[in-house]
Amino acid sequence: MLKPTRLLFLGAPGSGKGTILKRLLKRFPQLHPISSGDVLRSQISKGTEIGKEADKYIKTGLLVPDSTMVNLITEQLRELNGLNDKANWLLDGFPRTFAQAEKLTEILDTTNANLNLVVELDVDQKLILHRIESRYVHLPSGRIYSLDYNPPKVPFKDDVTGEDLVKREDDNAKTFKKRLDKYNEEIGPLREYYQKLGIWHSVSGETSDIIYPKVEKLVYEL
Ligand code: AP5
Ligand code: MG
């Protein structure tokens, strides 16, 4: 990785954003990750006002309002000193509406810290309900497991801490359908926006093992 990398992952729920992100960090530890869903789940578990608001949207598969998301993620970027032209970071799940994208560009423009790579993970949507149903997570760390793809060493326990794994409250067939519909509604304008900026790429493949090397190559070639 030769130049500062400011990367965004787009992709349907269950497309593997979190999984690819974890692998990329092993290769490029200087990339600071911000996963919008993890940030929100942390607010929920701390019982903050933002968490209470977000919980209502997340459990029903709706998007949290744009202004809340923009403030929350900008604050995270500021905390990791990410608002400058030398910064390296990776956003997973934000922006995910056209309005969020426009607002973020406006904010990053002021400090010359623009996104320079957007990668859409394009996975067959017929595959992903099964993934969601077999996913278990360690909430405090955001570590992701799958009962069949990457099972924990001890059933239902986190590999690192030994603590219990849980199911996310939005990982059920009914809520998943709404999340997927919402994604399909929002992605068109977002894709077009980043295409016009000349930074959008799409990688496809049935498994993360096929997708990962393609993402790594894009980062190297930046
Ligand atoms: P968020 O947490 O971002 O959820 P999401 O976008 O729905 O995506 P997921 O985390 O479910 O999937 P992923 O792509 O990370 O897949 P993973 O790697 O885990 O957001 C949750 C909610 O927060 C939203 O619905 C919304 O309400 C709110 N929110 C967040 N950001 C927002 C924003 N910007 N604006 C408004 N609201 C916002 O993989 C899935 C499973 O598959 C895992 O079990 C994994 O082990 C397994 N797996 C991965 N690769 C493979 C493979 N190759 N083969 C088999 N299994 C695999
Ligand atoms: Mg995720």
Side-chain angles (χ1 to χ4, degrees):
M1 194 168 98
L2 297 174
K3 64 185 242 206
T5 301
R6 288 181 290 277
L7 169 62
L8 163 65
F9 276 161
L10 297 173
S15 59
K17 300 181 293 293
T19 303
I20 301 282
L21 177 150
K22 293 260 153 49
R23 283 181 72 171
L24 207 58
L25 289 183
K26 288 197 181 134
R27 185 71 200 80
F28 303 108
Q30 64 275 51
L31 275 177
H32 296 276
I34 300 180
S35 294
S36 56
D38 287 352
V39 173
L40 290 167
R41 284 183 285 277
S42 153
Q43 295 284 329
I44 294 172
S45 65
K46 286 185 204 146
T48 65
E49 283 311 308
I50 292 176
K52 284 180 201 151
E53 183 199 9
D55 194 36
K56 293 185 239 154
Y57 293 97
I58 292 180
K59 64 162 63 125
T60 49
L62 296 172
L63 293 181
V64 175
D66 290 336
S67 56
T68 307
M69 290 312 301
V70 170
N71 292 339
L72 188 63
I73 303 298
T74 309
E75 189 49 39
Q76 297 276 318
L77 283 169
R78 196 167 288 123
E79 274 173 23
L80 61 78
N81 195 20
L83 297 176
N84 68 78
D85 64 353
K86 305 279 182 307
N88 292 288
W89 38 252
L90 195 178
L91 298 177
D92 152 20
F94 173 89
R96 73 172 79 190
T97 66
F98 179 74
Q100 290 176 13
E102 272 195 323
K103 193 69 198 164
L104 183 68
T105 302
E106 193 184 310
I107 293 166
L108 297 177
D109 264 348
T110 61
T111 57
N112 235 347
N114 279 302
L115 274 165
N116 49 17
L117 181 60
V118 176
V119 179
E120 181 183 346
L121 307 180
D122 175 26
V123 174
D124 182 350
Q125 296 194 350
K126 290 197 283 297
L127 294 174
I128 55 189
L129 174 59
H130 170 72
R131 289 188 184 184
I132 290 285
E133 287 182 326
S134 52
R135 172 166 61 188
Y136 278 78
V137 293
H138 179 244
L139 277 180
S141 67
R143 277 186 285 277
I144 308 156
Y145 300 87
S146 156
L147 296 182
D148 39 26
Y149 176 66
N150 60 334
K153 290 180 190 135
V154 177
F156 306 106
K157 300 284 179 195
D158 178 45
D159 286 353
V160 177
T161 62
E163 289 166 348
D164 286 344
L165 300 179
V166 296
K167 281 223 70 76
R168 273 171 43 177
E169 60 180 355
D170 55 348
D171 276 354
N172 55 71
K174 188 170 162 233
T175 311
F176 174 73
K177 165 93 174 60
K178 282 210 229 154
R179 288 160 58 199
L180 191 58
D181 288 348
K182 194 72 197 146
Y183 175 80
N184 289 329
E185 193 183 309
E186 299 289 343
I187 189 64
L190 210 49
R191 185 188 291 138
E192 206 175 304
Y193 178 76
Y194 287 118
Q195 274 173 339
K196 277 196 187 135
L197 290 177
I199 54 175
W200 178 87
H201 296 261
S202 170
V203 291
S204 51
E206 285 202 357
T207 78
S208 298
D209 298 335
I210 294 174
I211 288 186
Y212 175 75
K214 299 183 187 178
V215 176
E216 195 185 272
K217 187 159 177 276
L218 285 171
V219 175
Y220 269 121
E221 286 173 352
L222 193 65

